[in-house]
Structure formats: C-alpha cells, structure tokens
Amino acid sequence: MLIGLFNYWIVIILMMIGLYIVIAHGNLIKKIIGLTIFQTSVFIFYISIAKVDGGTAPILADGITQYSNPLPHVLILTAIVVGIATTALGLSLVVRIKETYHSIEEEEIQQQDNEEQQSKNKAEESA
Amino acid sequence: MITHLPILQVIVPLMSAPICLLLNRAKLVWLFSLLASGLAFVISILLLQQVMISGVISYELGGWQAPWGIEYRIDKLNAFLLLIISGISTVVLVAAQTSIEKEIPKDKHTYFYVLYLLSLTGMLGIVATGDAFNVFVFLEISSLSAYALIAMGQKRQALWASYQYLIMGTIGATFILIAIGLMYQMTGTLNMQDLSHRLPEVAQTRTVFVSFAFLIVGVCLKLAMFPLHLWLPNAYAYAPSIVTAFFAATATKVAVYLLIRFTFSIFGFSFSFATIPLQTLFMALGLIGIFIASATAIYQNNVKHIFAYSSIAQIGYMIVGFSLSTAAGLTATLLHMFNHALMKGAIFLALAAVIYRIGNVELNNLRGLGRQMPLTMAAIVTGGLSLIGVPLTVGFVSKWYLLTALVEQGWWPVAVLILLGSMLAVIYVWRIVEVAYFKAPLDENIKVKEAPVSFLIPIWTLVIANIYFGIDTRLSVQVAQGAAQSLFGVSP
Amino acid sequence: MIDIVLLTFLIIIAVAIIRTKDSFAVVMLAGIYGLLSASFFVAMDAVDVAFTEAAVGAGISTLLMLVVISMTGRKEKPTRHKPLPALFIVIITGGLLIYGTLDMPHFGSEDAPIHNHTSPRYINDSMQEIGIPNIVTSVLASYRAFDTFGEVVVIFTAGIGVLTLLSVARTKNNDDEIESINDSMHRQHLVIRIVAKMLIPFIFLFALYVQFHGDFGPGGGFQAGVIFASAIILYAMLFGLVTARKVINQTFIQFIAALGVLIYGSVGAVSLMNGGNFLDYNVLSSNPITGQHLGILIIEWGVGCTVASVMVVIFFNFAGRRERKQHKKPSQDKESPIC
C-alpha cells in the first residue's frame, strides 16, 4: 500500500541531501550547489504530484482525454527561474568575497572577521 | 482608475524600476523614485480609506475569477501594512541622495534606486496578494533586491553578511515553497480565501500539519525570530545606511504580516492554536528573544549593531502579542509594527546622518556629538525613549496595549518579564546618551557640523510622528483594532 | 518504473557531490543532476519544465559555476565540517516530511484533490477561453500571467544585482590589453571558430522557433531567451569578450532588459485603459480569442527580451571580472576550463 508513496520518499531524501550540503559544507560554491540541489528536489516534488496515471503532457490533442495537471508545471517554471536568479546572485557574491577575503571557505572568512574585530576592540581599549 | 487601486499600488513602483534604469541620471533617478514611492504612499492612503469605509476589496488579475486566476485582496490588515511600507519608503528616500553620495560609488547610483524600488515592489506585492504562490514570487523579488542592496555596503563584511542572508533567506523561501506545495496538494487551490474554506476539511491530516510547520519555520527565518535571527545583525550593520533604515523599519514587518496572514486567515485561528501548541512555543521564544537580544545589544560597540539587536528584541514583543491569540494581543502586535517602523526609521536615518558627517558609528566616536549635532542626536534619543516605552512616545502606546492584553488573559508573570525586558533597553540607550552628551569630543579642534537639511526633514518627520501618534492614538489604534477584530471574525 | 530508476540515479549523483572535493567535478556532477531531473520531468509529462530545467540546470548554471571556479580555484579545503548538527537538522526535517507524506494522496492517483478542483477548468475550457493547445502556456501567460510578470521581474532584479556586484568601469586602455591576451588565447581555436560562425545563425533561428512555438508545443519566451543568449555567449567565448561587447554593448543590453519588463507591463496598462483589469487580454481586441493571442504573443516577447539580455549581462560581467583578474595576474589560472 505504501508503495504509492515511495516516490515521494526518494524525493525527500534528495531534498535532505541538498540541505545537508548547505549546512555542513564550508566551501561557498558547494553551499550554493547544495542549495540548487535542495531547490531542484522541491521542483521534482511538485512535478511528481502533478502526474496522473495514464495521463499525457498537457498539450491538447485529439483523442486524448487524460492529461497531467498543468498548474504545478507552471509554478515550477517560475520557480526554476527564481532558482537561477538566486544562483547567479549568490555566485557573484562568491566572486566578490574571493576578491576581498582571498578565500571561499566559511571558516577562514569568519576567522578574518573575528581577528579584525578583536584588533579593533584592543585599539579601543588602549585609547 | 479608483477600482484599479490595488494593482496600481504594486505596479507603480514596479514599472518605475526599469524606467529608472533607462533614465540613468543620478539626480533624475532619485527624483523619479521619490515620485513613484510617494505615489504608492498616496495610493495606500486611498486604499486604507476605502477599506475602512466599504470593507474588503477584491481585484481579479487578468480578469480571471479566483481561484483560477490570481486575486489581490485588500482588507484592513494589509491596507495598514501597505501604508506603513510605502510611507516609510518615501520618507527614507528623501534622504537617500545625500546619504549614498558618500557611501556608494557614483556609477552604481542608478542601480541602487532600481533595486530599492524593486525591493519596495516585492514587499508591497507580498502584502497585497491573495494568492499563496504569488507570495513566493514577490518574496523572491524583495529578497534578491535586498541581498544586492546589502552587498553595496562599504566594508567587505557587507558581502559576507549578504551571502549568509542569501543562504538563510533561500532556505526559508524554499521551506515556504514546500509548505505551499503541501497545502496545494491537499486542497487543489492556491487562493488564500479558497484555502481557508478547504483546509478545515483536511485539517486533521498529517500532511497539513507538516505544511503548517514548514510554513512557520520558513517565515520565522525571514522574520529573524529568535533562534533563527543570526543573519540579521550583520546584514543591518554593514548595509548602506539608507538600506538599513528602510529594511529595519519595514522588512521584518512584512514577515510578521505573513505569519499573521497564514495562521489567522488561512489555517484559521482554531487550527493554529488549538491543534498545535503554538501559544506556549511562541510566547517562550518571544520572551527569550527579548532578553537575549537586549542583553547582547548592551555589549555592542557599534551603534548600528546595538539597534540591530534591539530590532530582534522588538520582534520578540510582536511575537508575544501574537502568541496570545486574542484580538487584544493582535492589536498590540499590529500597533507595535506601526510604532516600531516609526522608531527604527527615525533612529537609523539619524545614524545615516552621523555616518554622513563622521564616517562611522562606533560608540567611541560619538563622544560629544550631542552638542555638535544636537538635532540628530535628539532624534536618536527620542527614538531610544520610544524603544524603552516612555509615556508620550509611540513605544508607550504599544507596550501599554501589550500589557493590558497580557493582564486580561491573566498572564501576570509575562507582563512583569516584559517590563524587565524594557529595563534592558534603558541600559543600551543610556550608553549612547552617556557617550554623546557627557563625554568630551575626542578632538576638540575637529568641528562636526549638524546634518544637512535633506536628512533633518525626514528624520524629524518621523520623530514628530513618534510623538504625535504617542499622544493622539485614535487613528493607529482604530485601524489596528479593526484589523485584529476582523481576523477574529468580530465586526468592530 | 523509469521514474524510480531516474530518482535512484539522482540520489547516487547527490551522494557523489557530497563526497567529491574537486569543485570542477562537483560542478559537472551538478550539471548531470540538472540534466537527469530534466529527464525525470519528461517522464512526468512536464515537457515545458524539462526544457527549461535542461537549459538552466545543465546549461546556464553549470557555465556560471565554471567561470566562478576558474577564478576561485577548484580545491575544496578539508575544513572541519560540522556534520553532526547538520545531520541532526536534516534528520528532523526529513523525518517530519516523511511523516507528512503518510496522509498524502498516492503518487499518480486520479482522485487527488489537485486534479479535481482548479485544474479541470484549465484542461477543459482553456481551448474556448484562450484558444491555444498548450495548456501550460495558457495558464502561464493568461490565467496566472501575473506570476509570470513577477518571474520576469525576478530575473531583471538578478541582472541588476549582478551588475551592481560585478560591473567594472571600462577604460579603452584596459580593453586593448585584454584584447591582446584574448587574441593569443583564441588563435588556436580556428576550426571551432569557423564551425561556430556557421552554427550561430541556426541557434538564433531555433530561438525564434521556440519563441513562436510556445503556443503549440513546449517552448516560449523564457526558453527562447536562454537559447538566444547562449548563441551570444558562444560567440563571446570563441571570439573574446571585447569583440562581443563591441557587437553588443552593455548599455544596449541593459536597455533591452528594462524594455522587456516594460513591454510586459504595458500590455497590462493597455488592458486597464481598455476598461479591463490588469493583464486582461480579452479587451485587447474586439474578439476575446484574438485578444488572448495578441496578449500572449506580446508578453512572451517581453519575457524573451528580458531573459536573453539578463543572461548575457550575467555572463559578460562574470567573464569580465575573470579577464580583468587574469590580466592583473597573468601567471595564475592558466588551465581554466572554459577556454
């Protein structure tokens, strides 16, 4: 009986792999790739719920009565565009971060910020 | 044209953005943006008037009947929010030209205004729409422009803050997308009104419960509610000053609006608070948020950081009012949204003026500024008093309503905690007052002039509003009460 | 069955992405991930979505990431990961979602609520109301045209965002020097350049076909815009950025990007003036069906303009940064993957 839900479970695992990459990895590019996987998996979920057994692509043709649901397709077309927009902006931030911090590893950037903060605090104390 | 007001509210700033890009002359673009934002403000006033007189306005986009097409649905709640957002945006824009001249390279000025208008469009769109997926689209317009605007800050930390915000914001938006998908799957509709009719039938399913949970987490990420607030302080502190003033006064309000809209109008009050222990959870998180954020604010050395943490604490107050799930509690939350926009708008604009004159807002560099920039510092102090909740300021009004709402429900201990939380605000505001008024300037020879008029006008507009609405509460209370009661289905 | 196989492949790739430390390989895997999900969409009858995902997931985003790693280096440093808290969050979130699936309508079932509330009208009536066979286009461009307008604005926002972050003021002097580097780099690709020169007109032609064909089959403004942009990008990759910029300069592309949004919005404004609601195409012409056709045709052009020009803007600015950097430090980063 649960076999009807099996597809969804795989999709959920995919989403979680994406989310895991975003949270666990420190490389800024890899984080963005994780984000892409997370989002793409959500798209896969939407498209899965649109499927009707025995249906065809929602382009009207003679002799076909059963179509898959077109609405999720429309939503996901929009969402894909939103996704690439986010990726592009994220990557341009990575480029700028690389230019100013000379690193794209989360830890190293955080460390540089902390050091800067500490030296500023010290300067203030002595003043 | 009067019937098209709901869509004009969003379309005016939206279409102005590409036009600005074509104009491409810094001064001209500024005037044009100001005009567009001002027009949006006028439209929002007309809309609020119309809603107060004749009730909910529905507008069918493309002429397609909901739920097949997208519907704009303006009621008291979102008319109120539209007014706050477009009003603050206009006031802040007055000072924008002077401020960004110092903070942003000349060749990026046009882009700045384009993004600013897009961000405004996004927020207005989120608030005006009556379609769940349309919320997601406009959420992304406002978020993407926000990331870019924050990254325009002068220091390299702005880039890093923007990146972190982008990651958190996108996770939040994707959570909301998942939640909308689950809701859609169970009901077959995306229209909010339709959802509220169809959700009760499936309210007992585990799917709807999970959808609700994802929605709450997604919105709370955007809201920077404790403990999901980590992206906010740096994003606010390192963004260009004008951007901070605009976002601090509006962005989190939009997220609070979404929280209210989804819990009360869509899932329904009985589902949100009866099925799920939202009350205890939110009350606890709200209170912890107030204390931790206020306490952290005390230890900051950068004034922008102080007030960024203070913003997180103020979100706590809104959440506590929300968690009461009574009309009185919600009125307090709505009032505080309005009032907080006025306070933070004034404070961050004043800080923008300080940065314009002395280049930064490190606490130590503010020494003696009380005499050198009296009008600007007076604005910060008034804003601070309002944050504490001193009588005759707006802050007092919203705290008063919050306390009454708490006492009405017999939550005495919480009321006491709220008062204690305000004491923490006294400390961080006092630190600034002490430095600015009771310490000698670092170097007596350097003469710092008062901020230019282009700053003083918007700052003092907000300060006077702070005091005016603190004394004459009829207007704000009437609207907030009306909005809250209509969410509970009580006719005022 | 094919869907299960594809999903299994997707999982394998996703796991491989976690384990791989070489950014170049990760980007390639991510491209394959995009392509596989596009195949999955075809299996799910979502041909329009598949087309877009192939163009975006396997095309544009892979290209952008390659340009970026050519600037940032391809090694992921073995920093101390925080697998435990991440694992904790992921397990809770995933567990919650799986718990939520238990009451879901089963995969493919006909009587799920989503197939019985709003969508029957789109399937049954769109032919009479809009008059075009591709239902996805009907919904996208008419019933929910405002979402699509929002989508165009999102892409426009991203374009402006990238411009603010990456655009550099160009000087003539600078360009000349970059050009000389370019020439030396591109001289060896003679055959590819000639082949590309012959190909590019056909890519443009294909883009136009996709633009107009959206009413009948998969396609439309977005896909056409991406294809159109890809032709320009191909040109820029082979003949150098400076040459490409001489053909199409930045001010001009910005103009087109803004124009696309304005075209879309103007259709709405014209509907307002003709007495309809915003984006109501019925009032554009005396015959509603003609009005719908006209409206969809024009807004698809708006979409195409903005998408194509923003894609070009994004690529030009990413690549421009890269060349500037290379120019500064000519010794580094020679084995970049896109040339």
Side-chain angles (χ1 to χ4, degrees), chain C residues 7 102 170 206 268:
Chain C
L7 286 174
L102 296 179
R170 305 188 73 79
F206 181 55

mmCIF file of all heavy atoms in Angstrom, chain C residues 7 102 170 206 268:
data_model
loop_
_atom_site.group_PDB
_atom_site.id
_atom_site.type_symbol
_atom_site.label_atom_id
_atom_site.label_comp_id
_atom_site.label_asym_id
_atom_site.label_seq_id
_atom_site.Cartn_x
_atom_site.Cartn_y
_atom_site.Cartn_z
ATOM 1 N N LEU C 7 15.247 8.475 -10.336
ATOM 2 C CA LEU C 7 15.402 9.018 -8.985
ATOM 3 C C LEU C 7 16.593 8.384 -8.275
ATOM 4 O O LEU C 7 17.332 9.052 -7.558
ATOM 5 C CB LEU C 7 14.120 8.786 -8.174
ATOM 6 C CG LEU C 7 12.941 9.687 -8.532
ATOM 7 C CD1 LEU C 7 11.702 9.272 -7.775
ATOM 8 C CD2 LEU C 7 13.268 11.141 -8.239
ATOM 9 N N LEU C 102 2.468 10.571 4.869
ATOM 10 C CA LEU C 102 1.614 9.423 5.190
ATOM 11 C C LEU C 102 0.148 9.656 4.845
ATOM 12 O O LEU C 102 -0.570 8.719 4.550
ATOM 13 C CB LEU C 102 1.763 9.061 6.679
ATOM 14 C CG LEU C 102 3.170 8.583 7.054
ATOM 15 C CD1 LEU C 102 3.260 8.272 8.522
ATOM 16 C CD2 LEU C 102 3.566 7.366 6.236
ATOM 17 N N ARG C 170 34.756 50.480 -17.512
ATOM 18 C CA ARG C 170 35.705 50.032 -18.535
ATOM 19 C C ARG C 170 36.456 51.213 -19.129
ATOM 20 O O ARG C 170 35.888 52.249 -19.415
ATOM 21 C CB ARG C 170 34.969 49.301 -19.649
ATOM 22 C CG ARG C 170 34.124 48.161 -19.155
ATOM 23 C CD ARG C 170 33.575 47.368 -20.323
ATOM 24 N NE ARG C 170 34.625 46.576 -20.935
ATOM 25 C CZ ARG C 170 35.056 45.431 -20.437
ATOM 26 N NH1 ARG C 170 34.559 44.984 -19.319
ATOM 27 N NH2 ARG C 170 35.989 44.737 -21.042
ATOM 28 N N PHE C 206 16.636 28.871 -34.271
ATOM 29 C CA PHE C 206 15.988 27.941 -33.352
ATOM 30 C C PHE C 206 15.321 28.723 -32.210
ATOM 31 O O PHE C 206 14.194 28.427 -31.806
ATOM 32 C CB PHE C 206 17.010 26.945 -32.807
ATOM 33 C CG PHE C 206 16.416 25.935 -31.872
ATOM 34 C CD1 PHE C 206 15.345 25.137 -32.266
ATOM 35 C CD2 PHE C 206 16.921 25.780 -30.587
ATOM 36 C CE1 PHE C 206 14.795 24.200 -31.401
ATOM 37 C CE2 PHE C 206 16.376 24.850 -29.722
ATOM 38 C CZ PHE C 206 15.318 24.064 -30.131
ATOM 39 N N GLY C 268 -0.438 45.132 -19.667
ATOM 40 C CA GLY C 268 -1.352 45.322 -18.549
ATOM 41 C C GLY C 268 -1.948 46.720 -18.550
ATOM 42 O O GLY C 268 -3.152 46.893 -18.363
#
